[in-house]
């Protein structure tokens, strides 16, 4: 219903009697209760960009006035990503020492994520961490197997020497 079709609402005058007005119902209500109309703020457009803490996009949510042209270059995947060592991490998790192996798997998946968003520094750091945790798992697992073999040999000698 537009303003031309709005029925005229009674208006309470200074004398306390309702009078007809040519204003719309809301304007009549606002005037009768003493509401002062306030000019609305200018419209703003909200732009959502991907990237989060990416160095090229420090603010993932930005508000720009209308008429502003926003150009955001989406990060490109790395052309030659560092090795993620995922197979190595899975093998040492299954066969050696699983607590540090799980950390190695997580770091190797971080390499893939960082390479997809084009963050070479984070991908390289995660790659080195995945390799380091895989080597730690291999070392602890090898040490456990050696100790287990020594205990079994001693036990075997003790049982059959009687």
């Amino acid at each position: 219903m537009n303003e031309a079709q709005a029925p005229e609402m009674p208006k309470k005058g200074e004398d306390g009697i309702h009078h007809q007005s040519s204003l719309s119902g809301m304007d009549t209500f606002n005037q009768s209760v003493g509401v002062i109309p306030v000019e609305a703020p200018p419209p703003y457009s909200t732009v959502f960009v991907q990237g989060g803490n990416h160095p090229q996009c420090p603010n993932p949510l930005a508000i720009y006035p209308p008429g502003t042209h926003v150009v955001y270059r989406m990060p490109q995947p790395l052309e030659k990503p560092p090795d993620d060592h995922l197979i190595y991490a899975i093998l040492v998790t299954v066969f050696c020492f699983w607590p540090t192996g799980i950390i190695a798997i997580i770091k190797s998946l971080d390499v893939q994520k960082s390479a997809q968003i084009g963050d070479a520094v984070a991908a390289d750091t995660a790659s080195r961490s995945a390799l380091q945790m895989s080597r730690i798992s291999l070392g602890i697992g090898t040490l456990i197997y050696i100790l287990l073999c020594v205990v079994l040999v001693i036990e075997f000698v003790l049982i059959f020497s009687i």
Side-chain angles (χ1 to χ4, degrees):
M1 180 182 272
N2 62 23
E3 212 171 291
Q5 297 174 346
E8 292 185 8
M9 301 296 290
K11 181 179 176 187
K12 190 173 185 179
E14 293 178 21
D15 57 358
I17 300 173
H18 292 285
H19 300 283
Q20 290 294 328
S21 170
S22 62
L23 298 174
S24 69
M26 186 53 92
D27 290 338
T28 304
F29 174 77
N30 288 343
Q31 287 180 358
S32 67
V33 295
V35 176
I36 301 171
V38 178
E39 186 177 321
Y44 286 88
S45 59
T46 303
V47 178
F48 292 95
V49 290
Q50 279 185 310
N53 293 332
H54 197 274
Q56 295 174 350
C57 179
N59 186 6
L61 173 63
I63 299 176
Y64 299 97
T68 303
H69 296 285
V70 178
V71 177
Y72 179 69
R73 187 178 61 101
M74 295 300 291
Q76 298 297 317
L78 295 177
E79 290 180 14
K80 188 174 184 232
D83 191 10
D84 60 1
H85 308 288
L86 183 61
I87 306 280
Y88 186 24
I90 291 172
L91 290 175
V92 296
T93 301
V94 172
F95 294 113
C96 294
F97 191 63
W98 66 268
T100 52
I102 290 175
I103 297 171
I105 291 173
I106 292 170
K107 292 294 182 183
S108 66
L109 294 175
D110 286 345
V111 172
Q112 294 174 0
K113 286 183 205 172
S114 298
Q116 282 295 83
I117 64 169
D119 193 354
V121 174
D124 189 49
T125 303
S127 175
R128 282 188 271 120
S129 295
L131 183 61
Q132 181 182 15
M133 295 309 289
S134 296
R135 287 178 177 166
I136 290 172
S137 288
L138 180 64
I140 292 173
T142 303
L143 186 64
I144 289 172
Y145 285 131
I146 290 172
L147 289 174
L148 184 64
C149 288
V150 168
V151 168
L152 287 176
V153 167
I154 292 173
E155 205 55 42
F156 183 72
V157 169
L158 290 175
I159 289 175
F160 288 111
S161 65
I162 299 178

